[in-house]
Amino acid sequence: MNIAIVIAHKGGRRIERLTVGESPLRIGRGWGSDILLDDKFVNENHIELSVDDGELYVRDLSTRNGTLLDGKRIDSSPQKVRFGQVLGIGDSQVQIQNVQASVAPASFRSAWFLLMERFGSTKSILSLTAVALFLQALVAWMGSSQEYGLGDALVGVGTLLVAITIAALTLGLVSKLLRNEASLKSHWLVIVIALIANVLIDFLLQIVRFNLQMPVLSDSIAMLAMGAIASLFIVGFLSYATYLSPSKRWLWSVSVVGLFVIFSYSEDWLKEDHQRWTSYSSSEGLTLPPALLFRSTTSVTDYFDASDELFGFTPGELADSDN
Amino acid sequence: MLRALLLSLSVLAGLVLASLWPNSLVAETSANRFSEYYDQIYQVRVFSPEAGSKSSIGSGFQVTADGLIATNYHVVSDFVQRPEKHQVEYRSHTGETGSLELLDFDVVNDLALLRIDQPADRFFSLSGDTRQEPSSAQSKGGLVYALGNPRDYGVTLVQGFNNGLVAHSYNDQLLFSGSLNPGMSGGPTLNANAEVVGVNVATAGSQLSFLIPADKLINLISVGRALEQSDYQDEIATQIKQWQRPRLQSLIDEPWPTETFADRELFGEIRKDFQCWGDTNSDNVNRSVAWTNRNCQTANQVFLSGRLNIGQLLFSFSEQESIKLNRFQFAQTLSPDMGADNQSNFENSTSFKCKTGFLDTQQKGQYRRINSCIRAHKKLHGLFDSLLLVEVNEGLTSFLAHLSIAGAEPDQIKALNTKFTERVQ
């Protein structure tokens, strides 16, 4: 029986192609093993693979640290193994692949895959998730106009965790359909990084907004910045979920963001002048503590001299609208 | 039992006597004396041919031999605002109707002059000066008699005391302790000599009503002009400007007496027409922010139409201190947004244009934000509404000072805003 095994150890991966015949095949640290593992927690002869009646079997050779099959401990009696199952041996993971199956098409090169390689370990993903949850709770605490207690924070974090899970599962399902690979970890990572980026950029935009005091300009800046960030992360999702080429990923991503922007602003853009009319002032509504004000100040006289322009209304604005 | 009956009988008798004695004499004489004047009251109505019905009613009375009819501006305001869509009509005591021509108006004192085609033989005479020449009925405490057609029920005579000029008012108005009702607007109020001492204008509820002193009407008649319909809006703008100029200039020029507010040297009733009210939430034990407010405003404003009024003048202070919120949360509760204090709409004014800035400060950890918003009146050229907010934020405390001026010219708005900002610093 021809198989391939994928061995992952400390972030590195190698693939071996081998044939399991009438005599069993041994994997271990000893020089006599058919597959050598450089792992100090692995016995000289650790597991044995054998074929019986067209089925593949594995057994643990009474080792010091034991063997896990998909997380469950096995003993020295042969256990049936299916393709794709993972054997935990010492610090290494061994996965058995079917060489009859065709491999997935080549992925386009993308920085997102590098990101996954760098932060893809469970530990990194958990840490980043914790950072994202903490930042979101911090922002909720700062942004609340009422008291914000531990209970509120826990509810917020819990809700967000559920939302991340649902989003990752949904994207995983889409990936499974489009690419036959759920990439749950990758999606989780992108979502978490997107949340962190969102908090940081939003905070920066708030400082810009507070210092500018020009709501229309601030709205445009925020729309552009958030649109760019959203496009970037949608490209990330598309990298993991499809085989689209980089240019097409960007095309799709920018189109989706553009449509969203048009959809959410169209009602405002289509308003007629009399529908925009308001008896309220149109000032920057956001206020931050004095420590976050960096702009220059003026004297009372200079301020009012510069405010003369407020009295200048165009003939269009003053047009008699009686009908 | 018997005692109780006797007691109630004597109380009843007392009541009957009390009601009969002083009032019955006056009622008898005035009823006899004023019966002839009932017939001289016209109902003034603004009719909308498009809608096929009247849009407002009021009362009017003839003041000259050649047929000048006086009423309130607000009775004919629909016509002034849209002359092409309305016409003014009268109905006499006989039920006879006809059209009236609008000659002139005074929006500040709420008066209008109209001309009737066929003048009656008799007309009302106006009392020369209601203030400087106190006769028995004109001075405080004198009995006066208001005539008008309330709610179209028929001409009614209302007797009450003239209580002199209204306090806390920039404009002269007489306080009349009688019940004026809608529809009586524009009718005359007579003294015992049947001279007009005032024109019915408004009510503030039970037995509290207001009259325009007759001298305002004499002034309007003496101008003796007939306005063109196309000049109505320019005329209104001119009248508002002429009224506002001295009204605001004295605020700009005169010092504002210092009054303490929340340990700050501020000001309050800076002129007799300002009234201040204060409030605090100190009795709320669960408050997350403690605040103390003071609002000061003038009672005077000018009604121009159902959709537009002008002339409001008010300021307010608010001292706020966080009790349970951190700096970020406290900042969230602060907003420089303001709303107009006068009524207007898209047809009458633009939206507000605002400019926000930060003023110099020597203190660390503090900012002084200033937000000034201006909107222009579309039909009243050269008049603007202004909103101003000065905010001193020290992280966990904040002081807000707000000034609102409705219907003024740029130079005076700027001068008042500057003075206000410098005083609240």
Side-chain angles (χ1 to χ4, degrees), chain A residues 141-142 144 147 213 274 277-279 281 283-284 287 297-300 303 305 308 310 312-313 317 321-322, chain B residues 324 326 328-329 331 334 336 338 340 349-351 353 355-356 358-360 367 369 371-372 378 414 425:
Chain A
W141 173 72
M142 288 190 332
S144 162
E147 282 179 89
Q213 294 286 334
H274 68 91
W277 189 89
T278 166
S279 63
S281 64
S283 320
E284 177 55 64
T287 302
T297 56
T298 55
S299 71
V300 175
Y303 169 79
D305 283 344
D308 282 344
L310 284 178
F313 287 87
E317 288 173 310
S321 57
D322 264 356
Chain B
K324 295 177 182 169
N326 65 51
F328 279 94
Q329 293 167 344
L334 305 169
M338 297 170 279
S349 61
T350 64
S351 287
K353 275 206 291 195
K355 184 181 164 71
T356 313
F358 289 88
L359 298 175
D360 298 335
Y367 72 70
R369 175 160 54 181
N371 187 26
S372 174
K378 289 180 176 176
K414 188 177 166 185
Q425 287 263 8

Side-chain angles (χ1 to χ4, degrees), chain A residues 6-15 91-93:
Chain A
V6 181
I7 301 153
H9 180 238
K10 287 190 176 170
R13 259 157 62 107
R14 67 188 166 106
I15 303 178
D91 242 2
S92 311
Q93 281 86 42

Side-chain angles (χ1 to χ4, degrees), chain B residues 48-70:
Chain B
S48 160
E50 220 170 76
S53 65
K54 55 184 186 276
S55 66
S56 67
I57 58 166
S59 301
F61 57 102
Q62 191 175 329
V63 288
T64 58
D66 61 347
L68 281 188
I69 303 277

Side-chain angles (χ1 to χ4, degrees), chain B residues 15-28:
Chain B
L15 276 175
V16 169
L17 270 179
S19 65
L20 272 179
W21 190 38
N23 276 334
S24 59
L25 282 175
V26 180
E28 202 180 348

Side-chain angles (χ1 to χ4, degrees), chain B residues 279-354:
Chain B
D279 199 6
T280 171
N281 69 344
S282 58
D283 53 349
N284 179 357
V285 286
N286 292 321
R287 61 193 177 161
S288 50
V289 174
W291 52 256
T292 310
N293 291 342
R294 175 188 288 172
N295 297 296
C296 302
Q297 58 180 312
T298 63
N300 301 100
Q301 59 184 55
V302 176
F303 172 92
L304 292 177
S305 76
R307 301 190 183 102
L308 179 66
N309 52 39
I310 210 167
Q312 286 81 349
L313 199 52
L314 56 97
F315 58 85
S316 61
F317 305 127
S318 179
E319 180 81 31
Q320 313 194 349
E321 187 180 357
S322 171
I323 291 183
K324 295 177 182 169
L325 303 183
N326 65 51
R327 277 153 202 267
F328 279 94
Q329 293 167 344
F330 182 61
Q332 295 289 321
T333 67
L334 305 169
S335 162
D337 279 337
M338 297 170 279
D341 292 292
N342 60 325
Q343 204 184 358
S344 185
N345 63 0
F346 177 71
E347 284 165 28
N348 287 299
S349 61
T350 64
S351 287
F352 281 102
K353 275 206 291 195
C354 299

Side-chain angles (χ1 to χ4, degrees), chain A residues 27-276:
Chain A
I27 298 176
R29 195 155 49 87
W31 300 116
S33 297
D34 296 298
I35 301 291
L36 274 172
L37 288 182
D38 181 17
D39 183 332
K40 60 176 174 287
F41 304 114
V42 170
N43 276 35
E44 191 174 2
N45 291 309
H46 202 102
I47 55 168
E48 193 178 82
L49 294 170
S50 57
V51 176
D52 184 15
D53 199 14
E55 304 276 3
L56 192 64
Y57 288 88
V58 64
R59 71 185 188 96
D60 179 75
L61 300 171
S62 307
T63 57
R64 180 157 290 172
N65 291 306
T67 300
L68 302 172
L69 175 59
D70 269 0
K72 274 188 194 152
R73 202 176 187 98
I74 58 168
D75 52 26
S76 54
S77 59
Q79 294 278 322
K80 202 195 275 185
V81 193
R82 289 188 307 276
F83 293 126
Q85 284 190 305
V86 177
L87 291 162
I89 305 168
D91 242 2
S92 311
Q93 281 86 42
V94 174
Q95 193 179 30
I96 292 140
Q97 300 284 4
N98 184 0
V99 292
Q100 309 297 325
S102 56
V103 296
S107 294
F108 282 98
R109 288 181 59 81
S110 164
W112 287 100
F113 293 112
L114 295 177
L115 188 81
M116 191 58 206
E117 273 165 30
R118 179 72 186 82
F119 297 107
S121 70
T122 311
K123 211 160 86 183
S124 312
I125 288 181
L126 283 178
S127 320
L128 284 170
T129 307
V131 170
L133 293 175
F134 172 74
L135 284 177
Q136 291 286 342
L138 186 69
V139 163
W141 173 72
M142 288 190 332
S144 162
S145 57
Q146 296 163 359
E147 282 179 89
Y148 191 83
L150 188 65
D152 300 301
L154 286 178
V155 168
V157 165
T159 313
L160 190 65
L161 211 51
V162 170
I164 296 175
T165 311
I166 291 172
L169 287 175
T170 311
L171 290 164
L173 184 70
V174 173
S175 303
K176 186 76 189 165
L177 291 173
L178 293 177
R179 195 182 153 125
N180 199 26
E181 191 184 336
S183 314
L184 275 181
K185 263 185 168 181
S186 310
H187 291 307
W188 188 284
L189 182 70
V190 176
I191 291 167
V192 165
I193 293 176
L195 281 173
I196 294 172
N198 176 57
V199 170
L200 297 178
I201 288 163
D202 189 60
F203 188 64
L204 280 178
L205 284 173
Q206 282 195 28
I207 294 176
V208 169
R209 194 174 265 281
F210 179 56
N211 281 273
L212 268 183
Q213 294 286 334
M214 293 181 196
V216 178
L217 180 62
S218 299
D219 284 349
S220 308
I221 293 175
M223 192 175 85
L224 284 175
M226 285 304 181
I229 295 295
S231 306
L232 188 67
F233 283 100
I234 291 176
V235 165
F237 292 125
L238 291 175
S239 304
Y240 294 129
T242 67
Y243 287 111
L244 289 173
S245 70
S247 55
K248 279 195 177 145
R249 280 181 216 147
W250 276 105
L251 190 71
W252 274 100
S253 157
V254 171
S255 308
V256 167
V257 171
L259 275 174
F260 180 78
V261 169
I262 289 170
F263 183 74
S264 44
Y265 285 81
S266 57
E267 199 192 329
D268 190 49
W269 289 336
L270 292 173
K271 269 186 188 165
E272 290 183 42
D273 283 349
H274 68 91
Q275 291 172 307
R276 283 177 206 277

